[in-house]
Each structure stands twice: as C-alpha cells, then as structure tokens.
Amino acid sequence: MPKADIPNKTKKTSMYALIDGNNFYASCERVFNPALRDKPVVVLSNNDGIIVARSNEAKALGIKMGTPAFEIKKLLQQQKVFAFSSNYALYGDMSQRMMQIFTEFTPDIEIYSIDEAFLDFSDFKNIDLRQTGLDIRRRVYKYIGIPVSVGLAPTKTLAKIANRIAKKMMKNGVALIDTPEKIEKALQLTPVEEVWGIGRQHTRFLHRHQVKTAFDFTRLPDAFIRKKMSVTGLRTKKELLGTSCIPMEYEPQPRKAVRTARTFAQTTTDFEYVAEAVATFASACGEKLRRQNSVANLLTVFVRTNKFAQNKTYYANSFTVQLSATNSSIDLIKAAHKALHIIFKEGYEYKKAGVLVSGLRPDKHRQLTLFERQNYVKHKQIMQVIDRLNAQHGYKLLKIAAEGQSRAWRLRQEYRSKRYTTRWDELIEIRV
C-alpha cells in the first residue's frame, strides 16, 4: 500500500445527520398490517419480477436483493414469506410524511431518496445530538410507525457510515461520530466498498492494493488517490477525515433524461396494442417533465421481443425523433407514434416497449417562434387542466385518447396492498 500523507488537522464546525427508514417498503406494509411484524416480508419490483425490499426476517432466510421471484417461489411458500407488489402510492405518501417530521427538527433538509434524508445541524449550539437522534426516532415511529436509523457526523460521508453503524450495531438505532477517536474506529469497522462514493470498479482496484477498509483508504497518499480516482476520490478521503466537502442540496437536481418502460404481461403481435402502450409511456414522460419544469429535445422509442423465447427470432430496435423543445404529452405521443411506425415489424411477438426523452433543459429557457408560441400556449393550458384534475380526482381521470383503455400491458401488481393513505375507497377497515 502506498505511504499515506499526514492529514492537516482542521477544526470541525459542521454536523450532519443521515436518517433512513429501516427496510422502508416492508415497514410501510407493516404499518397497516400489524400481523406482519416479526414475519418475513418481501416487496417485488414492477410486474412482480424481482425482490426489491426485504424485512430483516427475510434477509435471515438468505433471500438476496434482486433475486427473480420465480426462482425462489418454493422457498417463499415453504418459509411462509409474505410477498407484496410495489405500492408506490403508499410508499411515496409515507415518505412525504416522514420527511415532514424531519423538518420539525431543522429546516435544513436534503431529501436524498424516498427513505433517506440529510439534516444539517451545523448551526445548532448546545444541542445534545445523541438525544436529538433518539427524539427523531421516537417521533417518527409514534406518528407514522416507521422505524428509522440515525447517523450523526461532521461530514455527509461520515454520516452515511454512522447510519450504517446505527442500523447494524446500535440497539437504540443512533450512532454519533463526533471525535477523532470515534471517526478512526468507525473507519476501521467499515469495508471500503460500503463508503459512499466508492463504486464497484474502484473497490476492485483498491482491493488489489490491499485497501480493505475505509481507514486503509484514508492512509493512501493524496496524489495517488487523485491520479487513480480523480478529484472525487480525493474529496471522499477528506470527508472521511472529517473535512466537509459535499454541501447540502436543498433542491432536487433535475433529471438529465426521463424514461418510462414496461414488460408486457403477454407477448403481442398487434401494432395497436403496442401503440397504446407507447402513447401512455410518452404521456407519463410528459408528466414527469412538467413536474420538474423541463422540456425535451429528443424522444426515443424502443421495442423488443423475448430474447429467452425458444425457437423465436429475437428482435430489438429503437428510433429517435428530434423535438421542438416540449413537455406536452400531445407532442410527445405524436413523436412516439412516428418512431414506432418506423421500427415496428409485423410478425414479431413483442415483450417490452419504452419511451426515453432526453436533451432536457429548463422550460423557462425555451426560445419560441411566433407560430410555436401559439401552439405552446394552447398545449400548456391543456396540460395544466389535465394535471390539475388528475391530481385532485385521481390518476388518469383525464388522458389523451391515444392512450386507449387497455390495461393488459400496465404494471402487473397481483399482490399489491391497498393505497391506505391516498384513496378514499381504500381506507383501512377496523372491525370492532
């Protein structure tokens, strides 16, 4: 291992908390079905394909993340594992409720994912951080029934490590790393592959140089890390040593591309069937663009057959259409149909289709000609009405006619629980 640089000692002034919901999807299911507590629970991906979430009891049975459900169907039955389809409406709403509770402790919050958030306590004076972590856990569990782990440290990368320790090693679910001695011990306990920002490729490289832990990584010379892992690697080292280099991001970053795709429940040779699906995917992309106030310059449609089908010729193709910077579902559907007509071939049994919009930029920066402006204003008004009514009265109350009525290619969710918090007709029922 290369000889390390001696780090400069800097005064710690920052303090971050990383809070995440333990086994979040499975925990959401348990909130409304207490009989699931202490039972193995798994949540399945789109179309009930693979395992995307597991309770601790399911993990103890050796069920791995990403395992195709059909491969362990017998195990699930033998071990009486409760399997649920992904209930995104429920999980999203429970996430919003959890994040709202976090803001009661500090307004400086960065929502990192559906079940994770960074909280900035840097400006707080004379605060008992460990007790604050315990208070957060108690309040979240009391208000919404979700167990969380809290990691506190002077940098966001160390807060990630502290959260891992809180989840795996602390009975009270809170870990505070606030001294050089605690930082060093935490780094020694953390495999280098578990460090935020160090991916698989760099992990393999570091293992070849006998770097096994986060502590080993901090012993590497700055010049070596910069040469092999660029400035990002050097930033990670500084974060691990207690120097905050990654600022809070209070506004979510706009996506660089938006994609909607589905695997069909059954293969099809029918063009209208695929066209309906593609139109719906294009419309969904338009909704996502409007939510982040972006427009797209490119739209790509792709189709494919089942590559594993025996005695069947595999076919996959895509086509990209240039757009006049739009987020109108009407425009996107027209472009998607144009692309589909080009790549669709008769006689093939299609298994999957999708739409990708790219070349995104902020809506407010769009330059329009006189004629484009007239069309833009018209479409914008229509989209605003559709989005508002769908938000108020239910998803897809209004939609473009090209999306059709078929639901055969939509998400297969045979084991979805009720959307207890977002649908009046699916409220929890209590029998007394």
PDB file of all heavy atoms in Angstrom, residues 366-383:
ATOM      1  N   ARG A 366     -36.643  28.240 -22.946  1.00  0.00           N
ATOM      2  CA  ARG A 366     -37.023  27.859 -24.304  1.00  0.00           C
ATOM      3  C   ARG A 366     -37.260  29.088 -25.184  1.00  0.00           C
ATOM      4  O   ARG A 366     -37.937  30.029 -24.785  1.00  0.00           O
ATOM      5  CB  ARG A 366     -38.297  27.001 -24.238  1.00  0.00           C
ATOM      6  CG  ARG A 366     -38.795  26.561 -25.589  1.00  0.00           C
ATOM      7  CD  ARG A 366     -39.814  25.461 -25.557  1.00  0.00           C
ATOM      8  NE  ARG A 366     -40.658  25.410 -24.391  1.00  0.00           N
ATOM      9  CZ  ARG A 366     -41.755  24.652 -24.325  1.00  0.00           C
ATOM     10  NH1 ARG A 366     -42.089  23.913 -25.351  1.00  0.00           N
ATOM     11  NH2 ARG A 366     -42.484  24.628 -23.238  1.00  0.00           N
ATOM     12  N   GLN A 367     -36.697  29.057 -26.380  1.00  0.00           N
ATOM     13  CA  GLN A 367     -36.897  30.112 -27.370  1.00  0.00           C
ATOM     14  C   GLN A 367     -37.931  29.651 -28.392  1.00  0.00           C
ATOM     15  O   GLN A 367     -37.812  28.579 -28.973  1.00  0.00           O
ATOM     16  CB  GLN A 367     -35.571  30.437 -28.078  1.00  0.00           C
ATOM     17  CG  GLN A 367     -34.500  30.980 -27.156  1.00  0.00           C
ATOM     18  CD  GLN A 367     -34.845  32.365 -26.618  1.00  0.00           C
ATOM     19  OE1 GLN A 367     -35.503  33.152 -27.286  1.00  0.00           O
ATOM     20  NE2 GLN A 367     -34.396  32.655 -25.402  1.00  0.00           N
ATOM     21  N   LEU A 368     -38.961  30.454 -28.615  1.00  0.00           N
ATOM     22  CA  LEU A 368     -40.056  30.054 -29.493  1.00  0.00           C
ATOM     23  C   LEU A 368     -40.266  31.071 -30.598  1.00  0.00           C
ATOM     24  O   LEU A 368     -40.114  32.283 -30.393  1.00  0.00           O
ATOM     25  CB  LEU A 368     -41.353  29.928 -28.690  1.00  0.00           C
ATOM     26  CG  LEU A 368     -41.370  28.908 -27.546  1.00  0.00           C
ATOM     27  CD1 LEU A 368     -42.624  29.088 -26.717  1.00  0.00           C
ATOM     28  CD2 LEU A 368     -41.284  27.496 -28.084  1.00  0.00           C
ATOM     29  N   THR A 369     -40.655  30.563 -31.791  1.00  0.00           N
ATOM     30  CA  THR A 369     -41.084  31.441 -32.865  1.00  0.00           C
ATOM     31  C   THR A 369     -42.519  31.867 -32.594  1.00  0.00           C
ATOM     32  O   THR A 369     -43.175  31.355 -31.687  1.00  0.00           O
ATOM     33  CB  THR A 369     -41.002  30.732 -34.224  1.00  0.00           C
ATOM     34  OG1 THR A 369     -41.975  29.666 -34.242  1.00  0.00           O
ATOM     35  CG2 THR A 369     -39.613  30.147 -34.464  1.00  0.00           C
ATOM     36  N   LEU A 370     -43.043  32.762 -33.398  1.00  0.00           N
ATOM     37  CA  LEU A 370     -44.407  33.257 -33.212  1.00  0.00           C
ATOM     38  C   LEU A 370     -45.416  32.131 -33.303  1.00  0.00           C
ATOM     39  O   LEU A 370     -46.324  32.000 -32.472  1.00  0.00           O
ATOM     40  CB  LEU A 370     -44.724  34.335 -34.255  1.00  0.00           C
ATOM     41  CG  LEU A 370     -46.166  34.882 -34.239  1.00  0.00           C
ATOM     42  CD1 LEU A 370     -46.449  35.546 -32.895  1.00  0.00           C
ATOM     43  CD2 LEU A 370     -46.374  35.856 -35.390  1.00  0.00           C
ATOM     44  N   PHE A 371     -45.267  31.263 -34.328  1.00  0.00           N
ATOM     45  CA  PHE A 371     -46.225  30.181 -34.525  1.00  0.00           C
ATOM     46  C   PHE A 371     -46.065  29.107 -33.448  1.00  0.00           C
ATOM     47  O   PHE A 371     -47.042  28.524 -32.979  1.00  0.00           O
ATOM     48  CB  PHE A 371     -46.069  29.574 -35.913  1.00  0.00           C
ATOM     49  CG  PHE A 371     -46.367  30.549 -37.015  1.00  0.00           C
ATOM     50  CD1 PHE A 371     -45.355  31.096 -37.782  1.00  0.00           C
ATOM     51  CD2 PHE A 371     -47.672  30.944 -37.268  1.00  0.00           C
ATOM     52  CE1 PHE A 371     -45.632  32.005 -38.787  1.00  0.00           C
ATOM     53  CE2 PHE A 371     -47.963  31.852 -38.269  1.00  0.00           C
ATOM     54  CZ  PHE A 371     -46.940  32.389 -39.040  1.00  0.00           C
ATOM     55  N   GLU A 372     -44.822  28.844 -33.042  1.00  0.00           N
ATOM     56  CA  GLU A 372     -44.589  27.871 -31.979  1.00  0.00           C
ATOM     57  C   GLU A 372     -45.202  28.345 -30.663  1.00  0.00           C
ATOM     58  O   GLU A 372     -45.731  27.556 -29.891  1.00  0.00           O
ATOM     59  CB  GLU A 372     -43.086  27.637 -31.795  1.00  0.00           C
ATOM     60  CG  GLU A 372     -42.446  26.793 -32.889  1.00  0.00           C
ATOM     61  CD  GLU A 372     -40.953  26.647 -32.698  1.00  0.00           C
ATOM     62  OE1 GLU A 372     -40.344  27.551 -32.081  1.00  0.00           O
ATOM     63  OE2 GLU A 372     -40.387  25.638 -33.160  1.00  0.00           O
ATOM     64  N   ARG A 373     -45.139  29.660 -30.409  1.00  0.00           N
ATOM     65  CA  ARG A 373     -45.669  30.209 -29.175  1.00  0.00           C
ATOM     66  C   ARG A 373     -47.178  29.995 -29.070  1.00  0.00           C
ATOM     67  O   ARG A 373     -47.706  29.675 -28.004  1.00  0.00           O
ATOM     68  CB  ARG A 373     -45.328  31.692 -29.062  1.00  0.00           C
ATOM     69  CG  ARG A 373     -45.869  32.358 -27.795  1.00  0.00           C
ATOM     70  CD  ARG A 373     -45.271  33.729 -27.593  1.00  0.00           C
ATOM     71  NE  ARG A 373     -43.850  33.636 -27.366  1.00  0.00           N
ATOM     72  CZ  ARG A 373     -43.306  33.347 -26.178  1.00  0.00           C
ATOM     73  NH1 ARG A 373     -44.092  33.101 -25.135  1.00  0.00           N
ATOM     74  NH2 ARG A 373     -42.010  33.286 -26.030  1.00  0.00           N
ATOM     75  N   GLN A 374     -47.883  30.153 -30.186  1.00  0.00           N
ATOM     76  CA  GLN A 374     -49.330  29.944 -30.171  1.00  0.00           C
ATOM     77  C   GLN A 374     -49.659  28.500 -29.787  1.00  0.00           C
ATOM     78  O   GLN A 374     -50.539  28.241 -28.965  1.00  0.00           O
ATOM     79  CB  GLN A 374     -49.922  30.276 -31.544  1.00  0.00           C
ATOM     80  CG  GLN A 374     -49.835  31.764 -31.892  1.00  0.00           C
ATOM     81  CD  GLN A 374     -50.335  32.036 -33.299  1.00  0.00           C
ATOM     82  OE1 GLN A 374     -50.535  31.125 -34.097  1.00  0.00           O
ATOM     83  NE2 GLN A 374     -50.539  33.311 -33.618  1.00  0.00           N
ATOM     84  N   ASN A 375     -48.934  27.552 -30.393  1.00  0.00           N
ATOM     85  CA  ASN A 375     -49.151  26.140 -30.088  1.00  0.00           C
ATOM     86  C   ASN A 375     -48.733  25.822 -28.655  1.00  0.00           C
ATOM     87  O   ASN A 375     -49.397  25.054 -27.943  1.00  0.00           O
ATOM     88  CB  ASN A 375     -48.354  25.274 -31.069  1.00  0.00           C
ATOM     89  CG  ASN A 375     -48.743  23.807 -30.992  1.00  0.00           C
ATOM     90  OD1 ASN A 375     -49.895  23.456 -31.187  1.00  0.00           O
ATOM     91  ND2 ASN A 375     -47.764  22.960 -30.711  1.00  0.00           N
ATOM     92  N   TYR A 376     -47.632  26.445 -28.204  1.00  0.00           N
ATOM     93  CA  TYR A 376     -47.125  26.225 -26.856  1.00  0.00           C
ATOM     94  C   TYR A 376     -48.140  26.674 -25.804  1.00  0.00           C
ATOM     95  O   TYR A 376     -48.424  25.941 -24.847  1.00  0.00           O
ATOM     96  CB  TYR A 376     -45.805  26.992 -26.686  1.00  0.00           C
ATOM     97  CG  TYR A 376     -45.370  27.173 -25.249  1.00  0.00           C
ATOM     98  CD1 TYR A 376     -44.816  26.111 -24.541  1.00  0.00           C
ATOM     99  CD2 TYR A 376     -45.508  28.398 -24.608  1.00  0.00           C
ATOM    100  CE1 TYR A 376     -44.415  26.270 -23.218  1.00  0.00           C
ATOM    101  CE2 TYR A 376     -45.114  28.566 -23.294  1.00  0.00           C
ATOM    102  CZ  TYR A 376     -44.562  27.504 -22.603  1.00  0.00           C
ATOM    103  OH  TYR A 376     -44.168  27.671 -21.296  1.00  0.00           O
ATOM    104  N   VAL A 377     -48.702  27.860 -25.973  1.00  0.00           N
ATOM    105  CA  VAL A 377     -49.672  28.383 -25.010  1.00  0.00           C
ATOM    106  C   VAL A 377     -50.907  27.487 -24.955  1.00  0.00           C
ATOM    107  O   VAL A 377     -51.420  27.166 -23.871  1.00  0.00           O
ATOM    108  CB  VAL A 377     -50.071  29.825 -25.371  1.00  0.00           C
ATOM    109  CG1 VAL A 377     -51.227  30.296 -24.495  1.00  0.00           C
ATOM    110  CG2 VAL A 377     -48.868  30.761 -25.216  1.00  0.00           C
ATOM    111  N   LYS A 378     -51.366  27.047 -26.111  1.00  0.00           N
ATOM    112  CA  LYS A 378     -52.548  26.185 -26.178  1.00  0.00           C
ATOM    113  C   LYS A 378     -52.298  24.862 -25.447  1.00  0.00           C
ATOM    114  O   LYS A 378     -53.113  24.420 -24.628  1.00  0.00           O
ATOM    115  CB  LYS A 378     -52.919  25.942 -27.637  1.00  0.00           C
ATOM    116  CG  LYS A 378     -54.131  25.042 -27.832  1.00  0.00           C
ATOM    117  CD  LYS A 378     -54.415  24.852 -29.315  1.00  0.00           C
ATOM    118  CE  LYS A 378     -55.595  23.910 -29.549  1.00  0.00           C
ATOM    119  NZ  LYS A 378     -55.843  23.711 -30.991  1.00  0.00           N
ATOM    120  N   HIS A 379     -51.166  24.228 -25.766  1.00  0.00           N
ATOM    121  CA  HIS A 379     -50.852  22.941 -25.148  1.00  0.00           C
ATOM    122  C   HIS A 379     -50.609  23.093 -23.647  1.00  0.00           C
ATOM    123  O   HIS A 379     -50.996  22.226 -22.861  1.00  0.00           O
ATOM    124  CB  HIS A 379     -49.625  22.313 -25.815  1.00  0.00           C
ATOM    125  CG  HIS A 379     -49.932  21.651 -27.115  1.00  0.00           C
ATOM    126  ND1 HIS A 379     -49.225  20.572 -27.596  1.00  0.00           N
ATOM    127  CD2 HIS A 379     -50.893  21.904 -28.044  1.00  0.00           C
ATOM    128  CE1 HIS A 379     -49.727  20.194 -28.764  1.00  0.00           C
ATOM    129  NE2 HIS A 379     -50.731  20.999 -29.053  1.00  0.00           N
ATOM    130  N   LYS A 380     -49.969  24.160 -23.258  1.00  0.00           N
ATOM    131  CA  LYS A 380     -49.685  24.374 -21.836  1.00  0.00           C
ATOM    132  C   LYS A 380     -50.969  24.476 -21.036  1.00  0.00           C
ATOM    133  O   LYS A 380     -51.083  23.897 -19.940  1.00  0.00           O
ATOM    134  CB  LYS A 380     -48.841  25.634 -21.641  1.00  0.00           C
ATOM    135  CG  LYS A 380     -48.397  25.853 -20.205  1.00  0.00           C
ATOM    136  CD  LYS A 380     -47.447  27.025 -20.072  1.00  0.00           C
ATOM    137  CE  LYS A 380     -46.960  27.176 -18.638  1.00  0.00           C
ATOM    138  NZ  LYS A 380     -45.989  28.277 -18.485  1.00  0.00           N
ATOM    139  N   GLN A 381     -51.940  25.178 -21.564  1.00  0.00           N
ATOM    140  CA  GLN A 381     -53.222  25.303 -20.863  1.00  0.00           C
ATOM    141  C   GLN A 381     -53.914  23.950 -20.740  1.00  0.00           C
ATOM    142  O   GLN A 381     -54.483  23.617 -19.689  1.00  0.00           O
ATOM    143  CB  GLN A 381     -54.115  26.299 -21.611  1.00  0.00           C
ATOM    144  CG  GLN A 381     -53.614  27.745 -21.545  1.00  0.00           C
ATOM    145  CD  GLN A 381     -54.415  28.676 -22.432  1.00  0.00           C
ATOM    146  OE1 GLN A 381     -55.102  28.240 -23.360  1.00  0.00           O
ATOM    147  NE2 GLN A 381     -54.321  29.977 -22.172  1.00  0.00           N
ATOM    148  N   ILE A 382     -53.873  23.171 -21.820  1.00  0.00           N
ATOM    149  CA  ILE A 382     -54.500  21.845 -21.789  1.00  0.00           C
ATOM    150  C   ILE A 382     -53.816  20.944 -20.759  1.00  0.00           C
ATOM    151  O   ILE A 382     -54.467  20.269 -19.960  1.00  0.00           O
ATOM    152  CB  ILE A 382     -54.461  21.182 -23.181  1.00  0.00           C
ATOM    153  CG1 ILE A 382     -55.312  21.978 -24.170  1.00  0.00           C
ATOM    154  CG2 ILE A 382     -54.932  19.727 -23.102  1.00  0.00           C
ATOM    155  CD1 ILE A 382     -55.185  21.511 -25.605  1.00  0.00           C
ATOM    156  N   MET A 383     -52.473  20.952 -20.762  1.00  0.00           N
ATOM    157  CA  MET A 383     -51.721  20.117 -19.836  1.00  0.00           C
ATOM    158  C   MET A 383     -51.975  20.533 -18.388  1.00  0.00           C
ATOM    159  O   MET A 383     -52.067  19.700 -17.491  1.00  0.00           O
ATOM    160  CB  MET A 383     -50.224  20.174 -20.152  1.00  0.00           C
ATOM    161  CG  MET A 383     -49.819  19.562 -21.499  1.00  0.00           C
ATOM    162  SD  MET A 383     -50.257  17.824 -21.653  1.00  0.00           S
ATOM    163  CE  MET A 383     -51.606  17.916 -22.839  1.00  0.00           C
TER     164      MET A 383
END
